[in-house]
Amino acid sequence: MNEYSSEISGFHKLSIEERLKIIKEKVGLNDEETDILQNFGYFEPQAMDMLIENVIGSYQLPYSIACNFKINGNDYLVPMVLEEPSVVAAASNVARMARKYGGFHCEKIRQVMIGQIQIVNLKAVEDAVKNIEVNKEKIIRLANDQDPILIKFGGGAVDLEVRPIDTIKGPMIIVHLLVNVLDAMGANAVNTMAEAIAPLLEELSRGKVLLRIISNLATHRIAKCKATFDKDMLGGAEVVEGILNAYAFAKADPFRCATHNKGIMNGIIALTLATGNDTRAIEAGAHAYAALNGYSPLSCFEVDPFGNLVGELELPMALGIIGGLTKTHPLARISLKILGIKKAEELAQVAVALGLCQNVAALRALAAEGIQAGHMKLHKRKAEKID
Ligand code: MEV
């Protein structure tokens, strides 16, 4: 049991130093520990204090580069921020195996997000649905009035879907506003539009609007990629067969599938963090997408006529390159420079290629020498370096 009380009134109103002093006294931190907390690195402490509430320090992680990526004919050095050994080495290794057959081929991605508006207290659901559908253009126009800049650059609300659903609290209508958010993650633009059209939707439906919020299940912003991984570089026909068996295992068993998909997210989240994007949004979207038809692997595998492994990966990828932390975090800007990308679409293509690589690397290791061998090799190297 802790001896301190966690009840601190007005904590958020204090300066960083004042907050740290209170925590230091309450939990008994020593000077070395408070010095570590106060090391803000390349950030001004005030900038950190503006980002979230109750800040007392900053937290650092390794920043690393995965090599060998060729995606749609372009080479990329991929920044990754994470704490787990072997992940970056594994990604670089498998990206090299894909180069022999042209690297990763990624499809075009529409940058369309969904804003959800929930309508309750409906007297006549069918009439309400019809009335909303008839006034679709008017609703879209009103949404677009909120963001002239997005419209100027070619984005904006593009469509509306009306979904009556049955719930434990009775019938509801869920309106989906589809918004092309261009190079942003999109939450701000979409939430502003969803809130702006709510009164009109209440009028048209004669119901009451409750939630107005973006959906992280971004099914209109799906990133897809495909690559062929050389059989011999993977370790031969037996390893390829092992990977297909691992995939079959994940397809048949949700306990394995969660870990299979976690391996994919190892890469994607590391890149998401390195570029200042919202890791929770990407993670939520990925697992919701995996669960759409019963929780399934996000990737799929087969062999080509020559025995090489062909992998595909597909998942929602709401990554932005403008706005929020992508703009204000110095390392996020540097990450985009290292990647050399100018469009959010390209970032999503890199992310999905990285995810596929990470997945193949994990399955290869598991099907061949086992995951601990790679980990142990890297640990040994680290120990030698320290000695
Ligand atoms: C560990 O971070 C990721 C793996 O567990 C993924 C997998 O099992 O496929 C190795």
Side-chain angles (χ1 to χ4, degrees), residues 166-303:
D166 280 320
T167 78
I168 51 167
K169 294 284 281 174
M172 296 179 188
I173 294 176
I174 309 302
V175 173
H176 279 188
L177 181 70
L178 307 191
V179 185
N180 181 354
V181 297
L182 300 177
D183 285 319
M185 184 274 178
N188 268 337
V190 170
N191 293 341
T192 304
M193 287 183 179
E195 288 187 7
I197 64 172
L200 177 57
L201 289 174
E202 283 192 334
E203 198 183 298
L204 295 170
S205 65
R206 293 157 148 240
K208 180 174 166 44
V209 167
L210 283 179
L211 273 57
R212 297 145 293 164
I213 188 74
I214 199 164
S215 169
N216 290 125
L217 178 50
T219 52
H220 294 275
R221 204 173 182 179
I222 299 295
K224 273 189 199 177
C225 80
K226 187 171 183 174
T228 300
F229 302 91
D230 184 64
K231 172 184 77 179
D232 296 321
M233 289 171 99
L234 279 169
E238 210 176 314
V239 175
V240 173
E241 185 59 16
I243 293 174
L244 292 177
N245 273 308
Y247 167 55
F249 179 12
K251 240 174 122 67
D253 176 27
F255 291 91
R256 171 56 206 156
C257 192
T259 324
H260 178 102
N261 288 340
K262 190 271 183 183
I264 294 169
M265 301 316 285
N266 269 349
I268 292 173
I269 293 301
L271 175 63
T272 303
L273 203 52
T275 54
N277 275 282
D278 183 341
T279 55
R280 291 83 58 210
I282 297 294
E283 197 80 58
H287 292 285
Y289 193 64
L292 270 181
N293 299 306
Y295 192 68
S296 311
L298 290 160
S299 56
C300 63
F301 293 99
E302 58 184 20
V303 281

Side-chain angles (χ1 to χ4, degrees), residues 134-167:
V134 166
N135 286 281
K136 192 165 146 174
E137 294 309 320
K138 187 176 171 189
I139 302 166
I140 292 176
R141 256 198 319 275
L142 179 60
N144 281 334
D145 286 346
Q146 313 309 312
D147 202 333
I149 294 175
L150 188 61
I151 309 300
K152 186 174 144 202
F153 286 101
V158 289
D159 206 355
L160 194 89
E161 294 167 352
V162 191
R163 303 172 49 227
I165 58 169
D166 280 320
T167 78

